[in-house]
Amino acid sequence: PEYSARERLVVALRMRVGIDPADFERGTGYSLVELLGAELPPLLNEGWLEWLDGRLRLTEKALPVADSILAELVA
């Protein structure tokens, strides 16, 4: 179940609109913050992910290296 939730997260992050945390939790049973745990703060602090209008999404900076970033989230 956790792996499936992570896969869903990665697919959603590939879309520029990002992912709504409430929709994600309803659909998977996992909160984004709990699922990502310690992985989330560095990704936010280094500018790879951002919260925009209540949604988590990749930043413009992250787009050229998105595959590498997203691969870490399912590993």
Side-chain angles (χ1 to χ4, degrees):
E2 181 180 328
Y3 186 79
S4 295
R6 286 181 177 271
E7 284 185 330
R8 185 171 178 171
L9 170 66
V10 166
V11 169
L13 285 174
R14 288 188 181 281
M15 300 185 352
R16 287 300 295 143
V17 68
I19 187 164
D20 178 273
D23 288 344
F24 182 80
E25 189 166 355
R26 271 192 300 278
T28 65
Y30 289 91
S31 114
L32 284 175
V33 173
E34 290 172 350
L35 182 66
L36 292 175
E39 296 169 278
L40 185 56
L43 291 169
L44 291 167
N45 292 337
E46 293 172 21
W48 301 118
L49 292 177
E50 66 183 352
W51 290 104
L52 184 69
D53 298 328
R55 301 174 74 90
L56 185 65
R57 68 182 214 147
L58 290 169
T59 63
E60 291 289 327
K61 168 186 167 180
L63 295 179
V65 293
D67 287 343
S68 298
I69 294 167
L70 297 175
E72 290 181 30
L73 298 179
V74 291

